[in-house]
Amino acid sequence: MIDLYPAGSRPSRKAPDQWFTGDVWMDPIITAQAPARINALRVRFAPAARTAWHSHPLGQTLQIISGVGLVGLRDSAPREMRPGDTIWIPPGVEHWHGAAPQVAMEHLALQEEQDGSAADWLEHVTDADYLRSPDSRA
């Protein structure tokens, strides 16, 4: 037996202010039942919107769908992300991601749950960390 979720059958939800800054909307793709562990969302960030610092127990993959985004690691300038880019963040690496200051961004976020959790949330990203000059693309 398979599960089929018709388009529009599951509502978009506003991302919680506790873990996000700015206007962020999430659409569920899948939270699989055990023994599978995959958790996937489509996430839309308004300009300058972003996640808080966080990590994932089993890592995370981001696939950029549209717009321009930024991904930041501790003590590093953020890197720019564009449509078609795929980003792998290894397990336990503290990071944040979101839209560029003046451009919205949409991505798919794929991560696996471990012991019922797909993310470990930390403090909000400061404007100083967010506005660091991004590394240029090669």
Side-chain angles (χ1 to χ4, degrees):
M1 176 173 195
I2 64 169
D3 290 333
L4 188 148
Y5 302 98
S9 66
R10 296 178 294 167
S12 299
R13 60 187 162 109
K14 179 98 168 72
D17 293 339
Q18 177 182 1
W19 300 326
F20 293 84
T21 298
D23 191 21
V24 181
W25 287 87
M26 302 185 298
D27 291 291
I29 295 173
I30 190 70
T31 300
Q33 294 183 9
R37 310 190 276 199
I38 190 71
N39 175 294
L41 300 162
R42 187 179 75 206
V43 187
R44 297 181 313 270
F45 296 83
R50 56 197 182 263
T51 68
W53 287 102
H54 64 286
S55 65
H56 301 274
L58 297 173
Q60 182 181 47
T61 299
L62 302 176
Q63 173 71 37
I64 309 309
I65 297 170
S66 65
V68 179
L70 300 171
V71 58
L73 303 176
R74 295 280 186 187
D75 301 318
S76 298
R79 293 184 64 184
E80 190 177 89
M81 308 180 293
R82 293 190 172 269
D85 288 353
T86 300
I87 297 88
W88 165 245
I89 300 131
V93 172
E94 292 182 4
H95 67 285
W96 62 268
H97 39 95
Q102 298 179 7
V103 181
M105 186 269 295
E106 180 176 11
H107 69 45
L108 297 179
L110 303 103
Q111 51 276 320
E112 291 183 285
E113 292 186 3
Q114 184 175 46
D115 300 324
S117 176
D120 297 312
W121 291 99
L122 305 164
E123 76 276 13
H124 281 269
V125 174
T126 65
D127 287 345
D129 282 337
Y130 175 73
L131 295 172
R132 277 178 128 169
S133 180
D135 293 341
S136 60
R137 291 172 58 102

